[in-house]
Amino acid sequence: MPEAEVMSEPAVVSPPGTGKPLSVTALRKTYGGVTAVDEVSMEIAAGEFVTFLGASGSGKTTTLMMIAGFCEPDSGSIVVGGRDVTRLAPQKRGLGFVFQQYLLFPHLSVWENVAFPLQLRGVPKAELRRRVGETLEMAGLSGMARRRPRELSGGQQQRVALCRALVYRPPVILMDEPLGALDKKLRDQLQTEIKRIQRELGLTVIYVTHDQEEALVLSDRIAVMRDGLVDQFDTPQELFERPRTPFVADFLGAANFLPGQVEERTAEHCLVRLDTGGLLRARPQSPPRGARVQAAVQPGRLELCPPAEGFCTGTVETVTYVGTLVRVTVRLLDGTPGDVVRLELPAGRAPAVAERVGLTAQAADISVFEAEGGG
Ligand SMILES: Nc1ncnc2c1ncn2[C@@H]1O[C@H](COP(=O)(O)OP(=O)(O)O)[C@@H](O)[C@H]1O
Ligand SMILES: [Mg+2]
């Protein structure tokens, strides 16, 4: 998308945090027989940091490009700051962009790169100088204003690209995997900076990533995408605690899935008879009595207990220390061969390999889903 940044000059600039929400209604895009985006609808509040999270090919970029105006939707509408922009050119939508390739002008200095969007808009010299100076300072680049992009590291170049998108204060900034090309340490550092700048300026950001951890660190809300659809659009906490689909439970938390059948469902709980024989108490939101189900529980929400007291029993197979945590795998007794449950425990509570253990968890931490293929 090389032309994107050069063209990304909004006609309307409103102070951060005061714009009306951005809303997208029933956006759809197909390429030949392939449905890239299939009816995506969402409302984004001013000042919110929203992330599209999904595997490669789930429709994140296509959705973002339709919002940006570089890709025409087959149907649906996009409203930015109270204005229907569905048919407007990208540069008239009042949006800023930062992409994975930073696309700086190689022959211009850092200062000139960041000043460029303001020059395009004819911002008076004194104000231009003030705003470029402030923006560079905020990003920790003041000392590098005279350098050319090739004299900067990858992380510094990405920061300059961020400055260039921020300097004209667009009410909404779109970022498509902007840190994807950087190593882990730099990524962590820039995530913190992006979040700080977003908070300080009250920016509305729509961010695309396939990295769960990055999404969790940055976002007020995350839209989990799969096959061109949003499975769930919620806060990180809600996604963890109340996943609406098995996909969300698995994608965000690497959940364990235990097969069974609903034995009882009341207002307080749901009882699942596991295929391994034990009885599991779960959240009341579940398919009806008799349904074949999968009970999902995150590794961090499982606890070990004496074998007789758990909803299932097994043998500790591996214990791996990861900092202050241990990852533990337990092979279930009475499970089908290969049934292994993963736990994460504080390092002080690590069991011994080959120990016989029971598994337990709070009912509120267990989600119950209809088993695939029904039955
Ligand atoms: N220009 C295009 N022509 C044909 N197919 C496309 C085009 N852009 C995207 N697609 C397809 O649409 C789907 C979603 O792609 P994309 O939005 O790029 O996903 P993501 O950003 O989540 O990786 C994929 O199956 C992809 O192959
Ligand atoms: Mg993409």
Side-chain angles (χ1 to χ4, degrees):
M1 193 55 53
E3 75 277 33
E5 286 204 294
V6 184
M7 291 168 63
S8 63
E9 312 307 339
V12 190
V13 179
S14 66
T18 63
K20 285 194 191 141
L22 180 143
S23 80
V24 155
T25 310
L27 267 194
R28 218 180 126 77
K29 180 74 185 179
T30 55
Y31 293 105
V34 179
T35 305
V37 175
D38 189 1
E39 301 275 329
V40 166
S41 299
M42 60 178 67
E43 298 262 343
I44 295 169
E48 216 180 358
F49 198 119
V50 164
T51 296
F52 297 167
L53 173 67
S56 173
S58 56
K60 306 179 298 291
T61 294
T62 306
T63 305
L64 201 73
M65 289 300 110
M66 288 194 281
I67 295 172
F70 296 116
C71 168
E72 198 186 336
D74 296 347
S75 54
S77 68
I78 302 150
V79 173
V80 179
R83 202 165 52 121
D84 189 323
V85 302
T86 316
R87 311 260 162 255
L88 280 186
Q91 66 273 24
K92 301 211 167 121
R93 295 187 178 202
L95 306 164
F97 309 98
V98 186
F99 296 109
Q100 184 168 348
Q101 280 78 29
Y102 352 98
L103 309 166
L104 300 174
F105 301 114
H107 57 290
L108 299 182
S109 68
V110 166
W111 177 281
E112 290 161 338
N113 264 284
V114 175
F116 179 76
L118 298 179
Q119 277 165 346
L120 263 194
R121 289 188 186 72
V123 170
K125 269 231 169 65
E127 195 191 335
L128 179 145
R129 233 177 277 133
R130 184 178 58 76
R131 278 168 66 179
V132 173
E134 276 174 13
T135 308
L136 287 177
E137 192 176 337
M138 187 174 57
L141 290 169
S142 298
M144 296 170 198
R146 290 159 170 279
R147 292 201 201 170
R148 301 285 152 102
R150 67 166 183 281
E151 298 166 315
L152 300 174
S153 69
Q156 290 163 342
Q157 290 184 47
Q158 191 54 278
R159 255 183 272 180
V160 177
L162 186 64
C163 285
R164 203 170 52 180
L166 290 172
V167 75
Y168 55 85
R169 303 284 193 265
V172 181
I173 298 191
L174 311 179
M175 304 194 193
D176 193 350
E177 313 235 11
L179 310 182
L182 306 176
D183 66 43
K184 165 109 178 84
K185 199 168 151 222
L186 257 177
R187 239 175 24 228
D188 289 351
Q189 191 187 332
L190 278 177
Q191 281 167 11
T192 311
E193 281 177 35
I194 288 175
K195 190 67 196 168
R196 175 179 60 80
I197 292 169
Q198 181 258 341
R199 282 224 186 92
E200 274 178 27
L201 301 180
L203 298 171
T204 310
V205 173
I206 308 181
Y207 194 96
V208 163
T209 184
H210 63 274
D211 185 315
Q212 292 89 328
E213 204 183 309
E214 181 163 280
L216 292 169
V217 167
L218 290 172
S219 316
D220 296 314
R221 284 193 297 164
I222 299 172
V224 181
M225 295 194 65
R226 176 173 54 145
D227 298 339
L229 286 165
V230 175
D231 255 37
Q232 190 169 351
F233 182 34
D234 249 323
T235 62
Q237 190 181 0
E238 282 290 306
L239 291 170
F240 260 113
E241 293 181 358
R242 278 173 277 278
R244 224 172 282 144
T245 67
F247 177 78
V248 171
D250 194 32
F251 197 67
L252 268 131
N256 294 291
F257 290 94
L258 302 165
Q261 185 162 10
V262 177
E263 195 159 288
E264 179 185 304
R265 191 179 61 172
T266 68
E268 286 81 44
H269 65 219
C270 154
L271 293 179
V272 176
R273 176 65 63 185
L274 296 175
D275 289 357
T276 43
L279 197 61
L280 176 73
R281 219 164 68 81
R283 297 171 44 217
Q285 295 76 14
S286 85
R289 210 168 91 90
R292 287 289 307 159
V293 292
Q294 296 276 355
V297 53
Q298 312 290 354
R301 299 295 169 103
L302 275 170
E303 298 285 345
L304 296 177
C305 62
E309 293 169 23
F311 54 73
C312 56
T313 54
T315 312
V316 174
E317 206 165 59
T318 63
V319 178
T320 313
Y321 285 83
V322 196
T324 56
L325 286 177
V326 276
R327 299 215 169 105
V328 176
T329 58
V330 172
R331 181 166 298 275
L332 299 185
L333 298 176
D334 312 318
T336 46
D339 275 354
V340 165
V341 168
R342 289 163 287 110
L343 292 85
E344 255 175 40
L345 299 169
R349 295 223 300 272
V353 172
E355 191 178 333
R356 181 96 183 263
V357 292
L359 297 177
T360 175
Q362 299 290 321
D365 292 332
I366 303 175
S367 306
V368 180
F369 301 107
E370 181 111 45
E372 303 253 303

